[in-house]
């Protein structure tokens, strides 16, 4: 029995018909919606390459059944830049060399966006490292990644303050 | 992954009816179930999606001072709930030491209790495993078994239960609320997971179709908040299952221990309550000597099930260390590395 589901992906509504329910959110994004920025590393919850935000929270898309998320709001790496302008987290990864081969990077960046929104790590490198522990990097770019997250968090805090002053 | 029917019931009664059909499994976040289905270790014919059942996502303080947590509450949300984390800090610490932030954002309370063993032969559909396939044999005996059980194991199965969350919970006398084809019932978490005996395939006391709806903490569980710790030894700093872990909770008045709650993780097919050790501590001073005696008592029945005799000594040291940390007092803020021996900011006795 085909199943129809509807998701909002990066602000755009996507109606998808699934022939059978064995489709993860990761495969749906990559194979059905054509968004290949989200990567498949382990496909078993162990590496974080597939990290996306679902209803504002970071999760592993490889261990989520798409049909179970019917109606959800999904943000992937493709939805982060606004009007050709990189998100501060993306810009910080570039500024701090937070990658080498780049395979883990979309997951790292989405995880960092989630971590900053969760708001608990603050500027403490130890807490940021622990908060990013669900994302492995085979190239070992961890030092740059942690610096990028710290810097992005500061940038975001500054612009939030500016918004408040303008408002 | 095998083909399955997908159903999304609108009420607990509908879920139980759908979940009582042969071959059905409840689907919560799927972080354990989908993993096992991808490898072919589990092949349910029907998934009953319980993530949207009404009323199962609440955290409530009860009139008697206890708390009830709905089975669909996400692990991260529970650890961050201010009232919960203040009342049961060792449980919050255990939750935050488990898996990764992404997994904790998805994983549910019910799914965490019900997660299956990480025994590699259970996960590998081509291996012989009595737990997955009764009577097939156990490839862990004589195989890679350095992380297997040292307490409560049997010739049929030497697997451990992997949950961190359950370890302090069992010490606090948590109760599992269950809804099934024959109505509601409560089961003490201590009696919920089964030791393998000759039927390792029966992992818990849940009967066909029974659904966990909530977890309840009794009023006394809140009495340990000032001296409560969880300590977890892993093969890497973070994002790894426990080799062994311990929850230690104390009530200390006038330099004397009034009561103690102790449990071990990673040592048996269930979270392992150490009641004999708790009793030894009543009336004792919180010293390294009394903690060493208690740790010794907690492991008297331990026996290696393979290449894992080291875990017995390790469990004693982790329990002793957890007791020393608990005696120091619950840290004012959650440590940067929850449950880790590498917490330099909390003055950890990290020589375990
Ligand atoms: C890479 C990785 C690392 C991990 N590390 C840790 C760790 O360090 N510590 C730790 O404790 N855990 C760890 N986990 C396990 C994780 O905590 C579990 O996968 C999670 O808690 C399961 O919850 P879920 O909601 O996803 O359950 P699901 O996967 O949906 O379900 C798991 C099982 O429970 C059953 N079930 C679910 N809900 C109910 C219910 N309400 N009533 C009856 N049955 C139900 C399902 O049928 C299934 O058999 C790790 C997992 C992964 C993938
Ligand atoms: S130890 Fe238990 S789970 Fe592991 S292979 Fe043996 S029977 Fe299966
Ligand atoms: S691909 Fe999802 S965690 Fe590795
Ligand atoms: S940049 Fe290569 S894996 Fe991280």
């Amino acid at each position: 029995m085909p199943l129809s589901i509807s998701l909002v992906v990066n602000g755009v509504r996507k109606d998808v018909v699934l022939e059978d329910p064995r489709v993860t959110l990761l495969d749906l994004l990559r194979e059905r919606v054509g968004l290949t920025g989200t990567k498949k590393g382990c496909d078993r919850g162990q590496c974080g390459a597939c990290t996306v935000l679902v209803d504002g929270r970071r999760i592993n898309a490889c261990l989520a059944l798409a049909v179970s998320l019917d109606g959800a709001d999904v943000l992937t790496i493709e939805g982060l830049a606004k009007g050709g302008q990189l998100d501060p987290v993306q810009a910080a990864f570039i500024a701090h060399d937070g990658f080498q081969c780049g395979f883990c990077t979309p997951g790292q960046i989405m995880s960092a966006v989630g971590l900053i929104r969760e708001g608990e790590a603050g500027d403490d490198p130890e807490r940021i490292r622990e908060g990013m522990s669900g994302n492995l990097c085979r190239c070992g770019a961890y030092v740059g990644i942690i610096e990028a997250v710290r810097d992005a968090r500061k940038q975001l805090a500054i612009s939030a303050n500016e918004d408040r002053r303008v408002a | 992954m095998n083909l399955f029917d997908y159903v999304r019931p609108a009420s607990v009664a509908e879920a139980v009816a759908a979940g009582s059909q042969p071959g059905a499994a409840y689907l919560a976040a799927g972080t354990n179930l989908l993993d096992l289905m991808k490898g072919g270790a589990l092949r349910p014919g029907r998934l009953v999606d319980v993530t949207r059942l009404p009323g199962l996502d609440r955290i409530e303080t009860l009139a008697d001072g206890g708390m009830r947590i709905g089975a669909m509450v996400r692990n991260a949300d529970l650890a961050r709930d201010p009232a919960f984390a203040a009342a049961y800090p060792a449980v919050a610490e255990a939750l935050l030491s488990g898996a990764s932030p992404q997994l904790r954002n998805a994983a549910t309370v019910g799914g965490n209790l019900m997660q299956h063993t990480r025994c590699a032969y259970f996960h590998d559909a081509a291996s012989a495993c009595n737990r997955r396939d009764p009577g097939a044999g156990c490839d862990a005996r004589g195989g890679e078994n350095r992380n297997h059980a040292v307490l409560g194991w049997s010739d049929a199965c030497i697997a451990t239960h992997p949950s961190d969350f359950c370890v302090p919970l069992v010490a606090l006398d948590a109760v599992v609320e269950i809804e099934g084809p024959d109505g509601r019932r409560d089961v003490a978490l201590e009696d919920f997971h089964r030791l393998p005996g000759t039927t390792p395939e029966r992992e818990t006391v849940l009967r066909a179709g029974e659904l966990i709806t909530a977890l309840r903490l009794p009023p006394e569980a809140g009495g340990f908040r000032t001296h409560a710790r969880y300590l977890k030894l892993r093969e890497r700093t973070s994002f790894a299952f426990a080799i062994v872990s311990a929850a230690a909770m104390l009530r200390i008045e006038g330099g004397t221990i009034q009561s103690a709650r102790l449990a071990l993780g990673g040592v048996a097919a269930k979270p392992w309550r150490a009641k004999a050790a708790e009793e030894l501590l009543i009336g004792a001073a919180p010293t390294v000597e009394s903690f060493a005696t208690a740790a010794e008592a907690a492991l008297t029945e331990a026996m290696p099930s393979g290449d894992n005799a080291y875990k017995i000594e390790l469990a004693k040291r982790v329990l002793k260390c957890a007791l020393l940390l608990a005696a120091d007092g619950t840290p004012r803020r959650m440590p940067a590395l929850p449950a880790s021996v590498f917490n330099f900011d909390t003055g950890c006795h990290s020589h375990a």
Side-chain angles (χ1 to χ4, degrees):
Chain A
M1 186 190 66
L3 300 151
S4 328
I5 65 167
S6 159
L7 295 170
V8 175
V9 181
N10 301 330
V12 180
R13 187 181 155 146
K14 303 277 177 191
D15 297 308
V16 185
V17 177
L18 304 172
E19 295 74 52
D20 80 52
R22 292 175 290 183
V23 181
T24 61
L25 175 61
L26 177 60
D27 287 340
L28 181 109
L29 290 169
R30 293 181 54 86
E31 316 286 341
R32 311 291 170 99
V33 182
L35 295 174
T36 54
T38 308
K39 300 300 178 211
K40 185 183 281 191
C42 65
D43 208 24
R44 302 302 269 272
Q46 298 172 1
C47 74
C50 64
T51 304
V52 297
L53 302 196
V54 171
D55 296 328
R57 301 156 65 98
R58 50 180 168 154
I59 66 160
N60 301 111
C62 68
L63 287 185
L65 206 59
V67 62
S68 179
L69 296 177
D70 188 11
D73 189 86
V74 182
L75 183 66
T76 74
I77 190 73
E78 290 91 344
L80 218 47
K82 292 274 175 302
Q85 186 86 32
L86 289 183
D87 182 271
V89 182
Q90 291 174 304
F93 267 71
I94 294 170
H96 293 274
D97 283 335
F99 51 85
Q100 243 182 65
C101 77
F103 188 83
C104 71
T105 312
Q108 299 279 2
I109 289 176
M110 295 315 291
S111 192
V113 171
L115 173 67
I116 293 168
R117 287 193 189 181
E118 286 158 20
E120 281 142 19
D123 190 43
D124 179 349
E126 199 77 50
R127 286 179 195 270
I128 293 172
R129 233 187 318 277
E130 173 66 12
M132 293 295 290
S133 61
N135 294 80
L136 306 191
C137 174
R138 277 204 60 185
C139 299
Y142 296 110
V143 174
I145 292 169
I146 303 307
E147 281 311 309
V149 178
R150 289 181 73 184
D151 190 17
R153 182 187 154 275
K154 263 184 225 139
Q155 301 300 328
L156 284 163
I158 292 167
S159 54
N161 273 336
E162 279 167 0
D163 287 352
R164 232 169 282 142
R165 257 191 318 231
V166 173
Chain B
M1 205 189 288
N2 62 292
L3 190 57
F4 52 84
D5 286 335
Y6 171 85
V7 290
R8 192 191 295 151
S11 68
V12 169
E14 268 181 55
V16 168
S20 301
Q21 303 295 315
Y26 291 118
L27 172 72
T31 61
N32 186 230
L33 186 56
L34 294 179
D35 190 8
L36 285 160
M37 287 173 68
K38 284 182 185 191
L42 295 181
R43 310 173 58 83
R46 152 187 284 208
L47 291 191
V48 180
D49 187 341
V50 292
T51 52
R52 301 183 196 205
L53 294 179
L56 300 193
D57 58 355
R58 287 200 293 261
I59 304 173
E60 308 160 78
T61 300
L62 303 173
D64 66 6
M67 277 185 107
R68 175 187 284 117
I69 300 110
M72 287 307 126
V73 172
R74 309 293 168 157
N75 288 189
D77 293 337
L78 185 58
R80 288 194 197 112
D81 182 81
F84 183 87
Y88 321 110
V91 185
E93 186 167 20
L95 278 169
L96 292 174
S97 76
S100 67
Q102 290 95 316
L103 287 160
R104 294 193 295 267
N105 273 346
T108 63
V109 161
N112 193 311
L113 262 56
M114 290 295 292
Q115 64 175 300
H116 302 272
T117 182
R118 306 305 287 197
C119 171
Y121 305 101
F122 176 85
H123 281 244
D124 172 27
S127 297
C129 171
N130 287 323
R131 186 173 284 261
R132 189 166 29 76
D133 185 9
C138 168
D139 276 352
R141 310 298 307 268
E144 277 290 334
N145 51 27
R146 49 185 301 282
N147 283 339
H148 282 68
V150 293
L151 282 161
W153 51 273
S154 71
D155 285 337
C157 176
I158 60 172
T160 61
H161 192 261
S163 169
D164 291 299
F165 183 41
C166 289
V167 179
L169 280 180
V170 80
L172 291 173
D173 286 330
V175 174
V176 186
E177 296 185 5
I178 296 163
E179 183 95 28
D182 305 320
R184 285 163 187 261
R185 62 179 182 129
D186 284 354
V187 175
L189 182 60
E190 180 154 23
D191 304 324
F192 184 78
H193 298 97
R194 292 182 69 262
L195 290 177
T198 53
T199 53
E201 72 281 8
R202 292 174 50 210
E203 300 175 294
T204 70
V205 300
L206 280 195
R207 302 180 200 126
E210 282 191 323
L211 175 75
I212 300 175
T213 52
L215 187 72
R216 205 170 64 235
L217 282 142
E220 311 77 57
F224 297 88
R225 64 183 76 200
T226 58
H227 292 88
R229 288 307 297 269
Y230 183 68
L231 190 62
K232 173 180 178 184
L233 224 62
R234 295 157 259 198
E235 280 177 344
R236 57 185 190 195
T237 308
S238 190
F239 197 12
F241 285 95
I243 299 171
V244 289
S245 68
M249 288 163 270
L250 298 169
R251 278 205 305 114
I252 305 176
E253 275 166 36
T256 306
I257 298 170
Q258 307 296 316
S259 58
R261 297 295 182 89
L262 306 173
L264 294 163
V267 294
K270 59 189 279 182
W272 192 267
R273 179 88 181 260
K275 273 200 173 135
E278 291 175 5
E279 274 153 31
L280 278 180
L281 287 174
I282 298 173
T287 59
V288 70
E289 291 77 24
S290 41
F291 293 156
T293 309
E296 214 43 64
L299 275 299
T300 41
E301 290 157 32
M303 273 211 302
S305 61
D307 195 14
N308 59 359
Y310 80 98
K311 283 179 77 166
I312 300 173
E313 179 59 25
L314 203 58
K316 290 179 192 169
R317 295 186 193 188
V318 169
L319 182 54
K320 187 179 78 180
C321 184
L323 276 161
L324 285 167
L325 288 169
D328 285 350
T330 306
R332 259 186 299 128
R333 187 176 177 204
M334 184 61 68
L337 302 174
S340 171
V341 291
F342 299 120
N343 273 314
F344 304 111
D345 55 336
T346 56
C348 176
H349 308 264
S350 59
H351 46 265

